[in-house]
Each structure stands twice: as structure tokens, then as C-alpha cells.
Amino acid sequence: MYQYTDFDRRFVRQRAAQFRDQLERNLAGTLGDDEFRALRLQNGWYIQRHAPMLRVAVPYGALSSRQLRQLARIAREYDVVADGPFQGQGGYGHFTTRQNLQYNWIPLVKSADVMDLLADVDMHGIQTSGNCIRNITSDAFAGIAPDELVDPRPYAEIMRQWSTLHPEFAHLPRKFKIAISGAAEDRAAIGWHDIGLQLKKNAAGEVGFQVFVGGGMGRTPIPGVEIGAFVPWQQILVYIEAIVRIYNLAGRRDNLYKARIKILVKAEGRKFIDAVNEEFARILADDPAGHEQLIPQAELDRVAACFVAPAGVRAEPAAPPDASDPAFARWLARNVHGHRLSGYRAVTLSLKRVGIAPGDASADVMDTAAALADRFSHGELRVSHRQNLVLPWVREAELAELFQAARAAGFATPNAGLLTDQIACPGGDFCALANARSLPLAAEIAERYQDIDELEDLGEIDLHISGCINSCGHHHSGHIGVLGVDKDGAEWYQLTLGGSDGSTLSGATVAGKVIGPSFAADEIADAVDAVIETFKRERWSGEHFIDTVRRLGLDPFKTAANAVRVSTAKA
């Protein structure tokens, strides 16, 4: 993991002190709410449906056990509703699809105290909101995946430092998201980001980036398009600067819904690409020696030195565990992943359990996960795009022991990649923007599909649920996607099929297509069931859900789902 320097720590503490001063002036009435709003958003503080929400940055998903314990402490001591209609709520954090953590119940009057606690463990909420470059995300298996070509973490960290409080890009037309992958398989959904970066090596073994731009979900889902086939790593910050600068100059500010870079790229096409490349060339020409603009080898080496295997970790003879216990064998097959080092594995700690919202973790759960990280993974964890936690440094010889500990703690649900390993945003239960609730549907699906044999028989299915068109639940990229919509104040849901996130199973980045009119809240789970039953009836032997949808088209699934609406109306 990246190790904060004295400069880094001073920077974060100064930011926390600045926020405390702003908060105190706001509470005293000398700093108006409108002025304070922009300042608190820049530090990750929203005002949501019922209470403030804090989004904490977890850069490229990397967490230490010490940091996770501090997050648990904040949940336990600050994310608590002491009185009023929501008394007893809180005490947990929510891990998001963009590798952040959110709290839903921290009183604003205590927000500065929380910022100080985060700074104590080298964490913050800087640029987790606002029209700026947000948290840089990456592969949860970065640095350990067998198919990795180049470790993306040093580059992600350099980009994080470069983009933090960048004076030119603090007030962009809209929020701006960057994802980076260094593996053969895209596990970071780079095609769905404003800038997607794929690390490559050319024939000479030199490292560079394939650059995609203009991806995004929301009201207009558009996959990113390639803008640079191979940008040398030394020049990548210049290239990103050129992209964001052109967007900052030409992006729309008159229409909130058309302000994302994807709209600009779609509207201007080749003109946008040419403008970026011209700006890129101009920046390089202004600094031909690269003293100011290029990433120095020494800086890459400094940062990369933080991203090495923990002390004592080295390749050792493979030690496949005894998988005679069926429950253990199932967990090995689902939640245990390959590793670049012989004798080691990465392990998913599932946060998808009946009665718990996808991605939620109570203070006790976070403490337990931290303890497992200390015991089995050298104190390191990762937050995955799928809203789970990952232990990256587990010895094969200790997998059986970890399984028993994880099962006792509720982390061993063997459903990674299956239907109940859902992605879901907090939805209308918390978010002020949501049109409908996500969590009750996620809970109902989890209840209906508890038979692990049935789940295994269905195979890998990505079910993604969003409470509104902003797509925080990434419904567009789900093999099955659900979008909450509002009809005259009532909750309704659109059902989409055939989306993909760019992974090997899902194939090229594609937005799912809506099947039919929306479903009422008491119909949508049955509509999902009808889609699943159609797949079971029509699939070929060994065929994945996404492949069956592509082979048959939408009509059989649409007919089955619409029959649910008809039967409900008759009832």
C-alpha cells in the first residue's frame, strides 16, 4: 500500500482543520448555507433524504486493517441516531461500486471530528463529491492477479496526487471519473468511465496506456471510445490534462443532464479527438525537456516501492487444500481466486447476506474483517467493484482455517459472481435523488434465491439495481438491470437485459436494453423470476445467462416478464 509521507499527512490535516473552521463559521451563522454547501461537498459531505452522508475515499480500493478499524470506530461512535423517528439507525458503513465507503447518519455538527479521525489514519473525503476528478478506481486484484500485465496501483496513486485539488479542474462542468486496469481481463469497468485506462506493453516491452474517453451511464448510457492506442506512461498525465482541459472549455454548463464529457464526445466525435491531440502536442511543445509535465522515472520508482509484497511473502510450493468437505469446496470454487505467487490466493469476503443491504458492513463486521486481514492477509484488504471485501495475501495452507473463521463471521457465503452477489445503491431509503427503493428488491431477491445448488445451476449472472437514473447501482451494465422510476409519486421499476461491464464473461461494454413498460413495486421481483425461468427453459447445456440473452434476443424474456404484469392486474 502507498505510505503517506510527512507532506501527505500535513496536507490532509490542514484540509481537516480548514473544514473545521468552515463548519464552525456555518454553525455560527457567518458562513451561509449556500457558500458552505460547495465547501462541504468538496470534502465528501452531502445532505441526503434523512441526514448528512459522508463519502470517504478509498483510493483504488486499498485499505489497511488499521484504517478499517478506524472506519468501524466512526460507524460505532458517530454514525448513530440517538433520538427522533429514526432512533437506533446507523452504526455501519456502505461500500460502493466506486470503492468508497459511505456513512448515512453522522450529524453535521460532528463532521469535523470525523475528518480528524480519518486524517489520523491517512484518509479523507476530499473530491469524493463535486464537479471535479473523483476517486481513481482500479482492479480489486491489482498487484496479485495472474493475468496482470502491469500493476496499475503506482500509476493510480500518481494520478490521485496529481488530480487532488488541481486548481484548473476544481470546477468542471460535471463530476469526472477515471478507472485504470492493468490486467488482461477488465475488472474495473473502464469502458463505463469518463476516462478508462488500460495498461499495455508494446513489442519492445515499453509500458503505455490505451485510453478510452466518454464512457458513462446515467440518463444517456454510452461506452467509452478509444482516443489513444498507446500513450507512453511518462506522458499519461499530460494526455489526461489535455482531455480534461478540452472538456472544461467545451463541455456544456447550461444543462445539467448534458454536461458530462460523454455528451461532448458523442456530439463532436472526431473534432473532440483532434482537439485533445492538438492540446496534448501543445503542452509537450511548451516543455520539450519534460521537466514539468512528464512523470519522472524517480517518482514512479518512489511510489512503486510502496506496492511490493508484504514482508515475509514469497512464492512457495503450491499447497492445494483438502476439499473433501462440500461446503469448503464450494467456497473454494466461488470465493477463492488465483494469485500471481505460487502458494497464495486472494479471497472474497462476501458482504451479500440475507437481511443485509449489499455492501453494508456494521462496525462489528468491519472490526471482524480487520481481524481476519491481520490474521491471514498481512493487514491488507481491498474494496471490490462488486461491493465486497477482498483479502489479497492468503496462503493456500491457511485457506481451511480462514474458511472456518469467515463462516463463523458470516463472510463465507459462496456466491461471488452469482445472482445474489448483487450490486445495489442505497436508493430511496436514503438518497434524496432516488425515485424508488433499491434495497427492498435486493433483499427480496436474496430471500428467494437462498438455495446454493440452484444458484450454482444458474451460473454467473450480474444483477445490478439503481434507485434512479444516476445509475449508482450500475444497472446499465448488469446482465439483468433494474432502474427505479417515479410515476405520480409511486415506485415503479424498469427492467433491462443484456448489459455488460467489459469483463471476460460479459464481453464488450454494452448498455442493457429496456424490456417493456415499467413494473410496479409488487411486480418487479416476479418479473426477475420470470426472466430467470425463461433462461432455465431456453438455455443450451453449459450456456451462461448473458449468452442465452444474446442468442435469443429480448422477445422471449419480454413476453415472460410482461405476463407477470398481466397476471397481477387480473389478481
Side-chain angles (χ1 to χ4, degrees), residues 29 57 203 277 294 304 314 429 438 496 524 546-547 564 567:
N277 288 325
L294 304 188
R314 59 184 60 86
D429 287 300
S438 305
T496 62
I524 183 61
I546 187 63
D547 296 320
V564 168
S567 62

Side-chain angles (χ1 to χ4, degrees), residues 337-355:
H337 316 278
H339 205 287
R340 66 176 176 82
L341 287 181
S342 174
Y344 280 81
R345 296 293 186 95
V347 174
T348 291
L349 299 180
S350 177
L351 295 179
K352 313 297 172 59
R353 293 172 285 177
V354 173

Side-chain angles (χ1 to χ4, degrees), residues 411-427:
F411 286 123
T413 307
N415 65 342
L418 300 179
L419 181 66
T420 57
D421 187 19
Q422 308 165 66
I423 286 176
C425 70

Side-chain angles (χ1 to χ4, degrees), residues 108-163:
L108 198 59
V109 294
K110 297 184 178 180
S111 58
D113 295 335
V114 170
M115 301 300 276
D116 287 339
L117 290 173
L118 290 173
D120 286 345
V121 292
D122 303 336
M123 299 189 79
H124 56 77
I126 300 170
Q127 291 184 200
T128 58
S129 178
N131 295 334
C132 56
I133 297 175
R134 301 282 189 90
N135 185 37
I136 310 290
T137 59
S138 189
D139 182 1
F141 299 96
I144 57 174
D147 67 334
E148 187 167 85
L149 307 173
V150 182
D151 188 346
R153 294 173 298 168
Y155 302 97
E157 175 60 30
I158 289 171
M159 292 175 197
R160 182 192 72 82
Q161 295 188 24
W162 168 82
S163 62

